[in-house]
Amino acid sequence: MKEHSYHLTPIATGSAINYKKVLNEQQYAAVTSEPGTALVIAGAGSGKTRTLTYRVSWLIERGFLAEQILLLTFTNKAAREMLTRVDQLLPGRTHGLWGGTFHSIGHRILRRHAEEIGFEKNFTILDRDDQKELLEAWITRQGLRAAENRFPKGNVLAEIISLCNNTGLTLEAVVTKRYRYFFDLQKELKAAMVAYEAAKQKANALDFDDLLLKTYELFVTHPEIAARYQQQFRAILVDEYQDTNRIQANLIDLLAARHKHIMAVGDDAQSIYSWRGADVSNMLAFSKRHPGTQFFSIETNYRSVPQVLALANASIRCNTTQFSKELQAIRPAHTLSPVLLPLATSNEQASFIAQRISELHQKGMPLRDIAVLYRSHYHSMEIQLELTRRHIPFVITSGLRFFEQAHIKDVAAVMKFALNPNDEVALKRLLLLFPGIGKKTAEGLWNQIIKALEGTRDFSRLTQCKPPKKATKEWNQLVATLLEISSHDPSDAPQLAAPTVMIEAILFAFYDEILQEKFTNYEARREDLATLSNYAKQFSDTAEFLAQLALLGEGEEQQPANVEHEDQLCLSSIHQAKGLEWPVVFLTWLTEGMFPTRRSFDDKAAMEEERRLFYVAVTRCKEELYLTYPEFSSHANYGEAFQRPSRFLAELDPKFYERWNIAMR
């Protein structure tokens, strides 16, 4: 029997939208371009979402069926926004459009074809807690948490596995780059990865990364299935293409192999997520993978005033590996140019920011229209303190308030128990960090402690207590630390080491190792504790220091986080701020070693990403931009140190900003 393919030709219905009227020239050129491979370099605030949604409507009005279009985004919020906008442009004509995040599209495909890769269609999806529990169960069965062994917690192990999946790097490369303190455990880590894959197969479960990896595996091992989707998707549109990782870029290329119609929209100057697998080279080398690529550049910015854009343009020009671009402002010039403020200390920096925010608010500026941005969460500590003292309400999008974080509370718990041996909550918090100790065991050990101490502060008596064998090393380290940081002679009045000395002793004795094993972001948390130690230098009395930490948390229940209608100032890391905008932005801690980070000094690619991060921060600002840095910084180990301003400031011609010199009244 002979078989023939017969192709239906969709009929263009004509346009109900005046594209020339609703789009600027650059957007119009991209939206109405001929089908094929196109790279749209859309600068900050230039309307990339508008470009993508109108491109979808253009294609449908030119005869594409909705189900022949695949629209890929990175967040559910972005996907909902785009699909809503497309439906508003073409009511009733977008049913069947494939739109969503990479992972949601992968999930949709795998539900149809799971059996072809050895899973049942009713597979479940593991969240990070599920992954942690699965890995912890294997670690326990293997006895890798014996008394003298150190091994990463399940959540850290899950992060290592995920980095391997998303970057395409080997386990050795990931450990060498990010987890050097586990270098001698690579054999065990490899075994854990193999066992984890087997456990997922047995449980008929996939994790978040598998939604991409298994989809790609399905297409590679079953080309007939791949061909079905390659035929279906006549057009593939990708949002935030600069944030794609290796597997996402490969999936796009594979799906577009038949029709070769991709419109990738993004901004290489805003590629700031390499630490979670994003690879800017996917965008920079796009035309090499797709010969004949059409290039479109969208540089008209609708967000910021000209002075802010001039500074942003000047800064990003210092990167050598990029697509050149020059953002152009639509808005008129502002009365105030970006302001550069050198401050004497980090406390003075915090005082200026809080005072200036108060002044702006008194003049009618809502607090919600102001943001304080920083490179790392620990940079915000003094600012949080000052805002709290001045009763300025704020919300933090980069995580918990500084003193609410688990590692801060852990270290404070040791100090609390040293001060007050009757503090059951503080000690049990510590005990639960140790291997082999759960709530029941902690209760039993607490009863031993109370009996041993008999109301004294003689911590040498704690050697009488018998912790579980697995926790012997940690217990002995804790007891030794308590003896080191406190007077245990019953004839003495209670004496404790200075708070900063206590913090350093706790870290050195045992908590640094717990940080490595327990948390995925060890280096950031270690920097938090260094900042806490610096802050503690101004206190000689531990009771006063701990009381201050407790008082700083007062009133937080009356200031709930993430409530959009509340008039609250926003504190955010720059990574968390991407995609957001405010009329007023304070960009802080612009010193060498802080921003850019010291880790980027010897790595050109890392330094260029740091500069892109600075560019992202600046382009969050609509009107008033304040660039601040302290000239001196207090260090716990060697006193005050002079700080050089960030190279991102030094690279700028002074014509791009005005300098304010702070005078004390």
Side-chain angles (χ1 to χ4, degrees):
M1 180 179 67
K2 292 183 179 181
E3 292 188 6
H4 297 278
S5 295
Y6 183 84
H7 298 281
L8 293 175
T9 303
I11 300 174
T13 58
S15 178
I17 301 169
N18 187 337
Y19 291 90
K20 276 199 170 183
K21 183 177 181 180
V22 296
L23 301 170
N24 66 38
E25 288 186 12
Q26 294 171 332
Q27 293 169 341
Y28 180 80
V31 165
T32 62
S33 62
E34 290 298 313
T37 306
L39 183 63
V40 181
I41 302 161
S46 65
K48 66 176 179 58
T49 300
R50 186 177 186 82
T51 301
L52 277 169
T53 52
Y54 274 93
R55 175 65 172 180
V56 173
S57 66
W58 172 271
L59 292 174
I60 291 175
E61 288 194 320
R62 293 307 176 277
F64 281 69
L65 301 177
E67 58 265 28
Q68 295 175 325
I69 300 172
L70 174 61
L71 176 59
L72 293 165
T73 68
F74 274 87
T75 67
N76 290 316
K77 179 181 178 181
R80 287 193 298 270
E81 180 183 356
M82 287 195 185
L83 292 174
T84 299
R85 287 199 196 183
V86 172
D87 191 55
Q88 289 172 345
L89 290 172
L90 298 176
R93 298 177 59 185
T94 62
H95 179 71
L97 176 68
W98 280 58
T101 65
F102 283 87
H103 293 87
S104 68
I105 297 299
H107 173 250
R108 184 172 176 180
I109 292 170
L110 289 175
R111 282 294 177 199
R112 294 179 171 184
H113 307 287
E115 292 170 351
E116 280 84 350
I117 54 169
F119 288 82
E120 297 177 21
K121 289 184 178 180
N122 65 337
F123 65 82
T124 53
I125 300 174
L126 303 174
D127 61 22
R128 188 48 66 96
D129 284 340
D130 297 329
Q131 290 177 269
K132 173 184 172 182
E133 293 303 318
L134 201 58
L135 288 163
E136 282 290 342
W138 180 82
I139 292 167
T140 301
R141 288 195 298 270
Q142 298 301 311
L144 292 172
R145 293 257 166 74
E148 297 304 317
N149 287 354
R150 55 188 294 270
F151 200 77
K153 296 286 188 182
N155 63 315
V156 178
L157 188 50
E159 182 73 10
I160 292 172
I161 293 171
S162 182
L163 276 171
C164 291
N165 290 335
N166 286 305
T167 62
L169 296 174
T170 64
L171 174 65
E172 180 180 5
V174 167
V175 170
T176 301
K177 187 173 183 180
R178 294 279 296 273
Y179 297 92
R180 294 179 297 278
Y181 37 89
F182 294 139
F183 194 82
D184 58 337
L185 297 174
Q186 289 186 68
K187 181 179 178 181
E188 292 86 352
L189 294 174
K190 181 65 176 177
M193 293 177 70
V194 173
Y196 176 59
E197 290 302 313
K200 287 189 295 181
Q201 190 82 44
K202 183 178 180 180
N204 190 38
L206 301 176
D207 64 28
F208 201 56
D209 293 335
D210 287 329
L211 298 179
L212 300 181
L213 293 168
K214 296 298 183 184
T215 302
Y216 188 71
E217 176 188 325
L218 170 72
F219 290 155
V220 170
T221 57
H222 292 79
E224 73 284 359
I225 296 176
R228 187 186 313 174
Y229 290 97
Q230 290 166 343
Q231 173 63 31
Q232 176 180 342
F233 297 132
R234 293 179 59 206
I236 300 173
L237 289 77
V238 189
D239 184 27
E240 302 282 14
Y241 189 79
Q242 78 280 350
D243 292 335
T244 55
N245 61 27
R246 173 188 58 91
I247 192 70
Q248 288 164 334
N250 288 343
L251 269 171
I252 294 166
D253 291 353
L254 190 153
L255 285 170
R258 180 179 180 88
H259 297 294
K260 302 187 186 305
H261 183 172
I262 306 172
M263 177 169 280
V265 180
D267 182 5
D268 57 297
Q270 296 188 73
S271 180
I272 59 174
Y273 297 115
S274 65
W275 48 274
R276 67 185 188 196
D279 188 349
V280 69
S281 68
N282 289 337
M283 186 167 187
L284 296 174
F286 186 83
S287 61
K288 292 182 180 179
R289 295 203 318 277
H290 302 282
T293 294
Q294 304 174 78
F295 283 88
F296 299 94
S297 187
I298 302 176
E299 299 175 337
T300 303
N301 177 283
Y302 293 89
R303 176 187 300 152
S304 306
V305 295
Q307 298 101 311
V308 169
L309 293 186
L311 189 148
N313 287 332
S315 174
I316 202 63
R317 274 196 294 269
C318 296
N319 272 6
T320 58
T321 308
Q322 65 171 326
F323 293 114
S324 61
K325 60 187 68 65
E326 189 81 10
L327 294 177
Q328 303 293 327
I330 286 292
R331 299 186 63 187
H334 194 264
T335 54
L336 183 67
S337 293
V339 177
L340 176 63
L341 292 112
L343 288 309
T345 65
S346 57
N347 286 330
E348 189 173 289
Q349 176 180 243
S351 294
F352 164 75
I353 290 171
Q355 180 174 311
R356 184 61 179 159
I357 288 169
S358 293
E359 292 170 352
L360 291 169
H361 187 49
Q362 289 167 7
K363 292 177 181 177
M365 174 74 68
L367 290 175
R368 70 172 67 91
D369 286 347
I370 306 172
V372 179
L373 305 183
Y374 35 81
R375 172 64 178 84
S376 299
H377 190 49
Y378 72 94
H379 293 172
S380 70
M381 189 194 74
E382 290 95 345
I383 298 168
Q384 291 188 43
L385 291 171
E386 191 63 27
L387 293 171
T388 302
R389 290 190 186 108
R390 296 185 186 228
H391 306 290
I392 299 174
F394 61 92
V395 60
I396 299 176
T397 63
S398 57
L400 296 170
R401 293 182 181 229
F402 188 86
F403 299 110
E404 291 178 321
Q405 298 175 101
H407 52 300
I408 303 295
K409 287 189 170 184
D410 290 345
V411 171
V414 185
M415 302 171 74
K416 286 180 179 180
F417 184 70
L419 177 69
N420 173 21
N422 293 312
D423 193 332
E424 179 180 355
V425 172
L427 189 69
K428 283 184 175 178
R429 179 182 183 92
L430 292 172
L431 296 179
L432 291 172
L433 297 174
F434 296 165
I437 296 184
K439 290 184 178 179
K440 185 175 180 181
T441 308
E443 178 66 25
L445 190 52
W446 170 252
N447 291 331
Q448 292 184 53
I449 292 165
I450 291 298
K451 185 176 180 180
L453 289 176
E454 294 182 330
T456 72
R457 294 182 65 257
D458 184 358
F459 293 121
S460 64
R461 296 186 179 195
L462 295 179
T463 56
Q464 304 169 22
C465 301
K466 302 296 181 185
K469 185 177 179 181
K470 286 184 178 180
T472 300
K473 181 182 75 170
E474 288 79 6
W475 173 256
N476 290 338
Q477 290 171 328
L478 173 61
V479 174
T481 305
L482 290 168
L483 291 170
E484 179 185 348
I485 64 179
S486 64
S487 166
H488 54 278
D489 185 339
S491 64
D492 287 346
Q495 294 291 324
L496 292 175
T500 187
V501 174
M502 295 178 74
I503 293 168
E504 294 300 320
I506 292 163
L507 277 165
F508 180 78
F510 68 94
Y511 193 70
D512 192 69
E513 192 169 289
I514 289 175
L515 272 181
Q516 294 175 6
E517 296 172 1
K518 182 180 179 183
F519 297 108
T520 60
N521 56 343
Y522 161 74
E523 290 180 343
R525 291 178 187 263
R526 188 64 179 80
E527 288 171 337
D528 282 349
L529 290 168
T531 301
L532 182 70
S533 183
N534 291 337
Y535 170 67
K537 287 184 70 179
Q538 61 189 287
F539 297 89
S540 58
D541 181 77
T542 300
E544 182 187 354
F545 172 72
L546 292 172
Q548 183 68 16
L549 298 195
L551 290 171
L552 287 168
E554 274 196 346
E556 288 175 3
E557 290 183 1
Q558 285 73 45
Q559 297 174 13
N562 299 320
V563 181
E564 292 184 2
H565 66 271
E566 295 286 339
D567 189 25
Q568 299 177 96
L569 171 73
C570 179
L571 270 61
S572 177
S573 71
I574 301 167
H575 284 103
Q576 291 288 334
K578 185 173 179 293
L580 304 176
E581 59 185 43
W582 296 269
V584 179
V585 168
F586 293 82
L587 183 52
T588 69
W589 272 104
L590 288 165
T591 62
E592 287 289 283
M594 292 293 193
F595 191 12
T597 63
R598 191 165 283 103
R599 293 188 297 273
S600 65
F601 284 0
D602 299 322
D603 184 334
K604 179 187 175 185
M607 183 57 71
E608 294 216 339
E609 180 158 337
E610 289 288 296
R611 190 175 286 104
R612 294 196 294 268
L613 195 60
F614 178 76
Y615 175 83
V616 166
V618 169
T619 54
R620 299 312 91 202
C621 176
K622 299 168 73 173
E623 295 167 7
E624 292 188 23
L625 176 65
Y626 298 89
L627 308 168
T628 71
Y629 68 92
E631 294 179 307
F632 291 90
S633 179
S634 176
H635 291 267
N637 297 326
Y638 47 88
E640 284 197 338
F642 177 74
Q643 300 202 121
R644 288 189 298 148
S646 168
R647 67 190 65 192
F648 305 147
L649 298 177
E651 292 165 350
L652 294 172
D653 189 309
K655 69 181 182 181
F656 293 115
Y657 57 81
E658 57 186 72
R659 182 180 175 122
W660 287 8
N661 295 311
I662 301 300
M664 302 299 292
R665 289 180 180 173

